[in-house]
Amino acid sequence: GNSVTQMEGPVTLSEEAFLTINCTYTATGYPSLFWYVQYPGEGLQLLLKATKADDKGSNKGFEATYRKETTSFHLEKGSVQVSDSAVYFCALSDYTFGNEKLTFGTGTRLTIIP
Amino acid sequence: EPEVTQTPSHQVTQMGQEVILRCVPISNHLYFYWYRQILGQKVEFLVSFYNNEISEKSEIFDDQFSVERPDGSNFTLKIRSTKLEDSAMYFCASGSERRYGYTFGSGTRLTVV
């Protein structure tokens, strides 16, 4: 079946540090990959997505590249801000065999300190 | 920006009671979903709904659960007889195309006592 493994948290960084949150996946077909973010007290927001190998998703300074050879979709940001503090979820959906649900990783809590 | 709206934001119910969680998806979306997140755990898929019928459901979505789109705008999740282990944050989501991800609501926190 499909699964997503992401970096255990919590992660604490200083403002302006470089961020990487690792995500790897297992899928039987050709999945689309997503990063969702959950700010305190809010719902899940789509941060970025990539639908095929070598695609790069980007938004708000965050980037992730769909790497089929390493089955990875690591989230990166060059200079984090306090406002980036949130929980980040890697997820996949695989419609190859008609499976439309999102499979989530466990989430990584990120705290940025000034 | 269009939003998915969920009500109530927090509901407390007694074990064995029926509860209905309500969602208003984005108006031109065709695909609708419920997910849940037990505190500190993964976000889990419950059910997807398209063209007025369930298109996929998980093992969690047993006979105690049902979904409805009663009037073309609301999308509801009913739990017939709540159990303590149903306590979780329930998220509704809607999408226009399945492959490109969907928009989540801010969730309803259900507490069963």
Side-chain angles (χ1 to χ4, degrees):
Chain A
N2 298 331
S3 66
V4 175
T5 302
Q6 64 180 103
M7 185 172 167
E8 291 283 333
V11 173
T12 303
L13 294 173
S14 297
E15 205 165 20
E16 299 183 3
F18 185 86
L19 168 72
T20 301
I21 301 178
N22 289 338
C23 172
T24 57
Y25 67 89
T26 303
T28 50
Y30 302 96
S32 296
L33 301 174
F34 307 88
W35 278 99
Y36 281 84
V37 59
Q38 186 177 30
Y39 297 104
E42 298 185 17
L44 296 163
Q45 298 178 24
L46 179 63
L47 180 59
L48 53 84
K49 63 179 185 285
T51 58
K52 62 183 189 298
D54 300 325
D55 268 3
K56 178 187 280 189
S58 60
N59 186 25
K60 300 181 181 180
F62 290 90
E63 292 182 339
T65 301
Y66 188 143
R67 301 276 187 211
K68 189 167 180 239
E69 63 276 14
T70 53
T71 61
S72 64
F73 192 56
H74 305 320
L75 182 68
E76 297 182 335
K77 186 174 185 182
S79 176
V80 292
Q81 306 300 313
V82 172
S83 57
D84 294 327
S85 298
V87 181
Y88 292 81
F89 293 91
C90 186
L92 71 81
S93 63
D94 186 356
Y95 302 123
T96 312
F97 303 106
N99 183 339
E100 64 178 288
K101 68 180 183 182
L102 277 172
T103 299
F104 284 87
T106 51
T108 302
R109 181 175 299 278
L110 174 67
T111 302
I112 308 300
I113 52 177
Chain B
E1 190 167 332
E3 289 185 345
V4 174
T5 305
Q6 289 188 244
T7 54
S9 56
H10 189 190
Q11 177 141 7
V12 181
T13 190
Q14 289 202 324
M15 192 168 55
Q17 294 297 304
E18 175 183 284
V19 66
I20 297 176
L21 309 183
R22 303 183 190 279
C23 170
V24 179
I26 294 173
S27 61
N28 62 344
H29 283 184
L30 302 175
Y31 301 92
F32 312 106
Y33 308 87
W34 284 100
Y35 284 75
R36 78 173 185 189
Q37 184 182 27
I38 294 172
L39 189 63
Q41 298 187 25
K42 280 189 184 187
V43 179
E44 303 172 293
F45 170 77
L46 292 178
V47 66
S48 58
F49 192 85
Y50 170 71
N51 203 25
N52 285 321
E53 59 182 25
I54 291 173
S55 47
E56 188 177 355
K57 60 182 181 179
S58 72
E59 294 173 352
I60 303 167
F61 195 88
D62 62 20
D63 291 344
Q64 292 299 313
F65 291 86
S66 62
V67 288
E68 253 192 338
R69 191 159 156 77
D71 56 11
S73 61
N74 291 285
F75 180 51
T76 61
L77 174 70
K78 183 193 289 187
I79 309 175
R80 286 189 183 81
S81 178
T82 49
K83 303 189 278 284
L84 293 175
E85 54 264 39
D86 293 328
S87 295
M89 181 75 89
Y90 288 81
F91 292 107
C92 173
S94 69
S96 55
E97 290 190 56
R98 293 181 291 184
R99 180 169 291 277
Y100 300 123
Y102 23 90
T103 303
F104 282 83
S106 55
T108 293
R109 180 168 296 286
L110 176 66
T111 304
V112 182
V113 296

